Amino acid sequence: MQGALQAGGWGLLAGSALVMGALVGFLVPVPAPIVASVMAFGSGVLLSAVSFDLIAEAHEKGGLTPTAIGAVIGAVLYAGANAVLAWRGARHRKRSGGQQPSEEQQPGSGSAIALGALLDGVPESIVIGTSLLGGGAVSLVTVVAVFISNVPEGLSSASGMRRAGRGRGYVFGLWTGIAVISALAAVSGYTVLGGASAGVLAGITALAGGAILTMIADTMIPEAYEDTHLLTGLIMVVGFLAAFALSHA
């Protein structure tokens, strides 16, 4: 019970960054280059977490085959779901400019954006929960990486939602709900997978890593590149090294 509560608390902490970012993005006119720079930094942090905390851990637990299979399945599932949601109007859910369609322009796009946000957040939270299995400590690098990346995600998306004419209740209701679901996903990762074998855990961890890596490429980097251009790679490397240093502290 204590482990499940810890998993939920860490998942809620990471998910709360979405609400913080949304609060800033909806209420404060943050310049697009700043949003893009933070998004680039968050992308670098997540890339480091996927490389050294998820994929490396999966390989250590189960070897190359479960890791590779899990990562590919995660990438395929995310890309497929993301393609469907993009068709329904959620393609630019992380964009802060005027790319997001309003409900009048594309009916149902609001629901698609909500599902897209859920798609982005659940794999990260499940990994947070699984990191506590066996009585171990939570993966601090993963929590920090998810938290840092969630701030610009909430900020950018909320700014775009405001431009698309969506109200305050929709925006904050969405991100608060996703934060709560993130906590539940972390609890599920801890409880449902508690008796799983090392190979299964390796596959699940790699699946989440593959999904997150695909999410970075499909949704975060395009927003970062939109306004930072030649600085995108440099800022990403800084974020990558910051997370790498934390994992080896």
Side-chain angles (χ1 to χ4, degrees):
M1 182 65 179
Q2 183 179 358
L5 290 175
Q6 288 181 352
W10 286 112
L12 184 61
L13 174 63
S16 67
L18 291 167
V19 183
M20 295 170 52
L23 183 66
V24 175
F26 193 86
L27 300 179
V28 181
V30 181
I34 294 180
V35 176
S37 297
V38 178
M39 187 71 81
F41 184 85
S43 298
V45 171
L46 270 183
L47 281 171
S48 180
V50 169
S51 301
F52 299 106
D53 217 43
L54 300 185
I55 299 299
E57 179 183 345
H59 182 266
E60 182 179 342
K61 287 180 178 178
L64 180 60
T65 299
T67 301
I69 292 174
V72 170
I73 291 175
V76 169
L77 290 176
Y78 183 92
N82 193 46
V84 173
L85 292 171
W87 177 69
R88 294 296 302 274
R91 181 180 182 86
H92 301 297
R93 60 185 178 273
K94 284 188 173 70
R95 307 301 288 272
S96 59
Q99 299 95 333
Q100 286 188 28
S102 66
E103 201 65 25
E104 289 74 22
Q105 292 171 324
Q106 188 166 355
S109 58
S111 299
I113 290 172
L115 290 172
L118 188 63
L119 175 68
D120 297 338
V122 167
E124 303 166 339
S125 300
I126 291 176
V127 168
I128 291 174
T130 58
S131 70
L132 286 164
L133 292 175
V138 71
S139 173
L140 184 59
V141 175
T142 300
V143 173
V144 171
V146 173
F147 187 94
I148 291 176
S149 66
N150 277 347
V151 171
E153 179 178 346
L155 192 159
S156 180
S157 296
S159 179
M161 290 173 186
R162 182 188 61 191
R163 290 175 180 268
R166 292 188 167 86
R168 186 174 303 181
Y170 173 85
V171 174
F172 294 112
L174 169 64
W175 293 118
T176 301
I178 297 301
V180 173
I181 292 174
S182 296
L184 296 176
V187 172
S188 298
Y190 179 84
T191 56
V192 175
L193 298 173
S197 65
V200 171
L201 284 177
I204 295 296
T205 302
L207 186 149
I212 294 170
L213 188 59
T214 308
M215 181 264 291
I216 294 169
D218 285 356
T219 63
M220 294 184 70
I221 291 177
E223 168 67 9
Y225 186 76
E226 181 75 19
D227 289 289
T228 59
H229 294 290
L230 296 179
L231 292 178
T232 303
L234 175 62
I235 298 172
M236 283 182 61
V237 169
V238 173
F240 184 93
L241 291 175
F244 179 78
L246 180 63
S247 67
H248 290 75

